[in-house]
Amino acid sequence: MGGQIRLARKERGMTQVELAERMGVSRNTLLAIEKGHPTSEIGLVFEAAILVGVPLFVEDTASLQIHRTRIDDKLALLPKSIHVIHQTVKDDF
C-alpha cells in the first residue's frame, strides 16, 4: 500500500512535505508509510491513502499482485522528487 500512496502522491504533483503537513505528521513518518515500514500506524496509512485517492479495499484479490507490479513499474518511470514552483499572484488591478 505504501507504493500505491507514493505513486498517487506523485501523480497528483504533491511533495512529501505537502502531504505530511496535510496529515499532521513529519516527513519521516510519511516516508516510513511510503516504504511500507511495519511499525507505521494503520490509521495514518489509511489517512494517507484517502488523501491521495488510493482505494482501501479491493474486491478481486487475484489481480492484486498484477496491480502491485504495475505500481512498481510506474514508480520507476516517475521523477525521484517533485519541486513545486511557488509563484506570487499579481492581483493588484
Side-chain angles (χ1 to χ4, degrees), residues 86-90:
H86 297 283
Q87 296 179 350
T88 57
V89 177
K90 296 179 183 179

Side-chain angles (χ1 to χ4, degrees), residues 34-45:
E34 288 185 349
K35 288 185 175 184
H37 200 272
T39 60
S40 298
E41 292 182 30
I42 193 68
L44 292 177
V45 174

Side-chain angles (χ1 to χ4, degrees), residues 2 6 10 12 15-16 18 21-22 26 29 43 50-51 54 63 70 79 86 88-91:
R6 182 176 48 207
K10 287 185 175 189
R12 284 167 179 68
T15 64
Q16 287 179 335
E18 290 172 337
E21 286 177 356
R22 190 153 180 211
S26 70
T29 301
I50 289 170
L51 286 173
V54 173
S63 66
R70 287 184 193 158
H86 297 283
T88 57
V89 177
K90 296 179 183 179
D91 60 354

Side-chain angles (χ1 to χ4, degrees), residues 7-77:
L7 177 63
R9 175 185 59 78
K10 287 185 175 189
E11 286 179 339
R12 284 167 179 68
M14 296 178 74
T15 64
Q16 287 179 335
V17 173
E18 290 172 337
L19 182 56
E21 286 177 356
R22 190 153 180 211
M23 292 175 60
V25 298
S26 70
R27 181 179 170 270
N28 288 336
T29 301
L30 178 62
L31 186 62
I33 290 170
E34 288 185 349
K35 288 185 175 184
H37 200 272
T39 60
S40 298
E41 292 182 30
I42 193 68
L44 292 177
V45 174
F46 284 177
E47 183 178 356
I50 289 170
L51 286 173
V52 296
V54 173
L56 295 178
F57 302 102
V58 179
E59 292 180 20
D60 183 18
T61 57
S63 66
L64 191 58
Q65 182 60 34
I66 296 169
H67 185 65
R68 184 175 179 200
T69 304
R70 287 184 193 158
I71 288 172
D72 291 339
D73 292 342
K74 286 182 183 180
L75 284 172
L77 296 174

